[in-house]
Amino acid sequence: MDIEQLRKIASEVVARDDVKCLIGWKKGSYGYRIAPAFVEDTEETADLIFSPLCTANLATYLTLVEKLPVPRGQEPDTRKVALMVKGCDSRAVTQLIVEKGISREDVVVIGCPCPGVVDAKLLAEKYPETEEAAEVKWNGDGFLLIRGGEEIKIARDEVLAEKCRLCRYPNPVISDLMLGEPVKPWDVPEDSGVVEIEEKSIQERWSYWLEEFDKCIRCYSCRNVCPLCYCQDCILDRLNPTWINRAVNFSENTAYNISRAFHLAGRCIECGECERVCPANIPLGKLNRKLAREVREKYGFEPGIDPEGEPFQASYKPDDPEDFIL
């Protein structure tokens, strides 16, 4: 990725009269931290980066930019928002368009072909973070870690994020501007995480998820970071009727996590953000990818691919399987 080209294109986009801001990535304050950048001025584009550390899916901000109505005396800013996206992020944008969560004409999509990002937790385990902000670059088939004047070559499989190992769309599926050349998709292995669960007996699965959901502290980070969890009124928060009690225990935690998983069936674009931010390290990705695979294999449907398509749960085919209906 040519960073100067990125910043040049970003400056041209931000300077447009019909764009109010650009959302991208910038260096964080220390270690492997990366922060979202909300750029409103061409000079601020100098902070923008795109590197293997840019894991976060910024599409979640599209539904948070401005909540109408605005305060009395103010006029809503109806200009477009420009957004930098990797392949998985672009699927979230597409799914939001399909669900009419956003309008296509309200967003400028800047595509960033992605060779794969690193798992920051895994990277920190192998190469502990320092107070100084570090840098990671793509380096052939691997990565190059630069910290404290030291350069360390890292094999791709050593720190590659799980979502990238299983990624089928490394190039953005939708874009108005594309940065750099498309990357060559790689062979996607079998999802060993899902297979691991499927090979367990029913009782073993129950024990597995009992142990995992028992760790949940209901901080709602998974919901807050998810680009497809954007309902202004979440049914799980309602008190009358109460669908899920506030108590943090296995029963309520299970109801919460299973409800979210089914709410995302046919909608989850497998960006892995829920699992990335979970402070309890619950393998939510396995659960969501299991349902995504069921929808893909049984119905031939994959969300976030076609901006002109229909939502999975609002579409119907006469030959849809119905053997499972009691």
Side-chain angles (χ1 to χ4, degrees):
M1 170 66 67
D2 185 338
I3 297 299
E4 292 308 314
Q5 181 199 19
L6 182 163
R7 292 168 180 169
K8 178 175 180 294
I9 291 177
S11 293
E12 293 171 354
V13 171
V14 172
R16 286 168 46 172
D17 292 335
D18 63 341
V19 172
K20 60 181 171 185
C21 75
L22 182 151
I23 305 175
W25 300 275
K26 66 179 181 181
K27 278 187 178 180
S29 54
Y30 71 97
Y32 305 137
R33 307 295 157 163
I34 294 293
F38 299 87
V39 179
E40 298 180 341
D41 187 280
T42 55
E43 293 183 358
E44 296 172 343
T45 59
D47 294 333
L48 291 172
I49 63 167
F50 182 58
S51 79
L53 291 173
C54 298
T55 305
N57 185 345
L58 304 176
T60 191
Y61 292 110
L62 288 178
T63 53
L64 301 173
V65 171
E66 186 175 50
K67 298 290 186 186
L68 298 177
V70 296
R72 184 178 298 172
Q74 294 183 15
E75 293 295 326
D77 189 340
T78 58
R79 292 177 296 169
K80 301 173 189 281
V81 173
L83 183 76
M84 292 174 61
V85 297
K86 307 182 296 294
C88 52
D89 309 338
S90 72
R91 292 185 60 195
V93 175
T94 302
Q95 188 62 21
L96 286 171
I97 293 171
V98 168
E99 296 179 2
K100 303 189 186 309
I102 61 171
S103 298
R104 178 67 183 91
E105 57 271 21
D106 290 340
V107 60
V108 178
V109 182
I110 304 175
C112 304
C114 176
V117 297
V118 301
D119 181 329
K121 292 179 183 175
L122 197 56
L123 182 65
E125 286 177 9
K126 295 178 179 292
Y127 306 93
E129 287 185 280
T130 59
E131 292 184 2
E132 180 185 359
E135 188 176 359
V136 178
K137 296 181 177 180
W138 286 287
N139 182 41
D141 293 333
F143 302 105
L144 181 65
L145 169 62
I146 305 171
R147 60 174 187 178
E150 182 184 19
E151 295 190 354
I152 305 172
K153 292 182 179 178
I154 305 175
R156 174 182 168 86
D157 290 342
E158 192 176 347
V159 294
L160 185 69
E162 178 74 353
K163 66 173 183 177
C164 299
R165 190 176 68 83
L166 302 170
C167 178
R168 300 180 300 282
Y169 300 93
N171 296 300
V173 299
I174 183 175
S175 67
D176 297 299
L177 300 164
M178 189 69 80
L179 299 173
E181 298 297 323
V183 299
K184 182 181 178 183
W186 45 89
D187 294 332
V188 178
E190 189 173 32
D191 191 337
S192 56
V194 171
V195 171
E196 175 194 353
I197 302 297
E198 291 176 330
E199 289 178 343
K200 296 179 184 294
S201 66
I202 296 297
Q203 186 55 48
E204 289 173 335
R205 292 184 200 182
W206 176 256
S207 299
Y208 177 84
W209 288 113
L210 188 156
E211 181 178 347
E212 294 298 339
F213 289 152
D214 204 37
K215 296 188 297 185
C216 179
I217 59 174
R218 300 275 288 285
C219 64
Y220 302 110
S221 294
C222 52
R223 185 177 68 179
N224 294 341
V225 78
C226 178
L228 277 310
C229 258
Y230 61 94
C231 300
Q232 292 188 17
D233 176 23
C234 178
I235 193 172
L236 303 183
D237 288 337
R238 291 183 183 174
L239 297 176
N240 187 19
T242 300
W243 296 93
I244 295 177
N245 287 309
R246 294 293 187 271
V248 178
N249 55 42
F250 171 69
S251 175
E252 303 304 323
N253 292 351
T254 300
Y256 167 73
N257 285 286
I258 295 295
S259 297
R260 272 204 78 243
F262 275 91
H263 183 48
L264 290 168
R267 303 175 61 236
C268 175
I269 45 82
E270 303 171 60
C271 66
E273 285 292 87
C274 51
E275 185 168 325
R276 181 181 69 86
V277 302
C278 179
N281 294 320
I282 300 171
L284 296 169
K286 294 179 182 177
L287 186 60
N288 290 326
R289 294 200 305 272
K290 166 65 175 173
L291 290 178
R293 197 178 75 179
E294 291 292 320
V295 170
R296 188 166 60 247
E297 293 182 351
K298 287 186 168 53
Y299 297 94
F301 183 90
E302 196 155 23
I305 303 301
D306 178 11
E308 305 295 330
E310 295 287 336
F312 170 65
Q313 296 183 9
S315 60
Y316 168 77
K317 295 178 183 175
D319 58 347
D320 277 345
E322 57 183 25
D323 300 339
F324 57 90
I325 299 177
L326 299 177

